[in-house]
Amino acid sequence: MIVVENLVKTFGGFHAVDGASLSIQEGSITGLIGPNGAGKTTLFNVIAGVLQPTSGRVTMAGEDITGLPPHELFHKGLLRTFQIAHEFSSMSCRENLMMVPGAQSGETLWNTWFGRKRIAGEERALRAKADEVLEFLTVEHLADHKAGQISGGQKKLLELGRTMMVDARIVFLDEVGAGVNRTLLNTIGDAIIRLNKERGYTFVVIEHDMDFIGRLCDPVICMAEGKVLAQGTLAEIKANEQVIEAYLGTGLKNKDQVATV
């Protein structure tokens, strides 16, 4: 689904991503881990078009998407969420979801005058779709709540719900568990697994919670200092000497020390 080749992103003289190469298999839930400052979010931002790469190449299903802006990638089915949720706080959860699909008839002035019937039909369909998504995520009771007034974990679910309003092919989730209580994190995990198995979504997940990564992700990729150190199962990653050194700053071979990497 995604192939990254020798990707570099510099800020001045600092290499945030330094020659990273990796591949994401279609239909997988791939975990991306590493110490703070490893370059994980910058890598996401370059793949998703938020940042332009300094050099390197990104392809999606064989198509070169290097440097394409986010709105073009959105229409190709590549979406991402952010560590801090971005919602329209004064709108309801249902309305936040209804905003997602592009090219709605109501977006043009001409149609607001002469295409009201078409607009009304689209809005009924979008409302039904939004309610279906909220039910899938088990938060249908929040449909009419202002998005700015729900909890941080519920906002993360709402962001996941946005990806369900369009035909997403691959979704990049940046620390979906940050600031989320364990109960809601389990709900988010359940939704990700269902979307993967039932709807064929491919996911890439940045996360520091290794229990969450272990439950969802195979394979797991570890980054440090802008480079890809290792890829494999979580058990293989935890046993990797380079990973141990990246997290602990030591080459000690006592694998028990990385049980909670």
Side-chain angles (χ1 to χ4, degrees):
M1 178 69 77
I2 295 289
V3 177
V4 175
E5 300 174 275
N6 300 314
L7 202 66
V8 174
K9 178 59 183 178
T10 61
F11 297 95
F14 175 67
H15 285 65
V17 179
D18 191 8
S21 296
L22 55 91
S23 60
I24 307 298
Q25 296 301 313
E26 185 173 4
S28 69
I29 305 178
T30 299
L32 184 61
I33 67 170
N36 289 331
K40 304 181 298 295
T41 295
T42 302
L43 178 69
F44 265 27
N45 284 336
V46 173
I47 294 172
V50 178
L51 296 173
Q52 292 292 308
T54 303
S55 63
R57 186 168 181 257
V58 181
T59 59
M60 178 177 174
E63 178 187 357
D64 192 338
I65 61 168
T66 311
L68 290 183
H71 68 274
E72 290 188 27
L73 295 173
F74 171 87
H75 290 296
K76 293 180 183 296
L78 189 156
L79 291 78
R80 70 153 298 174
T81 67
F82 293 85
Q83 182 177 350
I84 299 175
H86 294 72
E87 76 282 351
F88 295 102
S89 59
S90 63
M91 299 174 68
S92 72
C93 292
R94 180 189 290 115
E95 289 167 339
N96 267 262
L97 296 180
M98 292 174 66
M99 287 282 292
V100 175
Q104 297 185 36
S105 296
E107 295 175 357
T108 64
L109 182 61
W110 178 268
N111 286 333
T112 61
W113 291 342
F114 302 105
R116 293 183 180 180
K117 185 175 180 180
R118 185 192 317 159
I119 293 172
E122 285 184 7
E123 288 189 349
R124 282 193 299 270
L126 286 172
R127 182 185 179 92
K129 175 69 172 178
D131 286 343
E132 175 194 341
V133 167
L134 292 167
E135 183 178 358
F136 181 97
L137 297 173
T138 69
V139 288
E140 61 269 27
H141 59 288
L142 298 176
D144 296 312
H145 285 61
K146 299 295 185 190
Q149 297 173 354
I150 62 178
S151 73
Q154 290 167 338
K155 289 178 181 179
K156 294 292 182 72
L157 274 170
L158 187 62
E159 284 219 325
L160 187 58
R162 286 177 183 162
T163 71
M164 298 173 62
M165 293 296 295
V166 293
D167 294 324
R169 297 177 65 193
I170 182 166
V171 180
F172 290 81
L173 303 173
D174 193 350
E175 295 199 32
V176 68
V180 178
N181 67 55
R182 181 58 57 181
T183 300
L184 267 176
L185 187 57
N186 287 335
T187 301
I188 293 171
D190 290 343
I192 292 170
I193 291 170
R194 284 188 62 195
L195 286 170
N196 174 254
K197 293 186 179 302
E198 298 175 15
R199 306 196 182 190
Y201 279 37
T202 300
F203 286 99
V204 188
V205 183
I206 291 177
E207 186 52 62
H208 291 289
D209 187 319
M210 290 300 106
D211 289 336
F212 187 77
I213 287 287
R215 179 189 172 202
L216 269 66
C217 301
D218 185 15
V220 177
I221 297 170
C222 181
M223 287 186 68
E225 298 181 344
K227 298 180 174 66
V228 174
L229 287 187
Q231 178 171 333
T233 66
L234 183 58
E236 291 169 341
I237 292 294
K238 285 184 175 183
N240 185 286
E241 187 70 16
Q242 287 183 296
V243 175
I244 296 171
E245 186 169 355
Y247 273 97
L248 301 179
T250 176
L252 292 174
K253 296 183 179 180
N254 183 359
K255 296 176 180 59
D256 293 337
Q257 295 188 58
V258 288
T260 57
V261 163

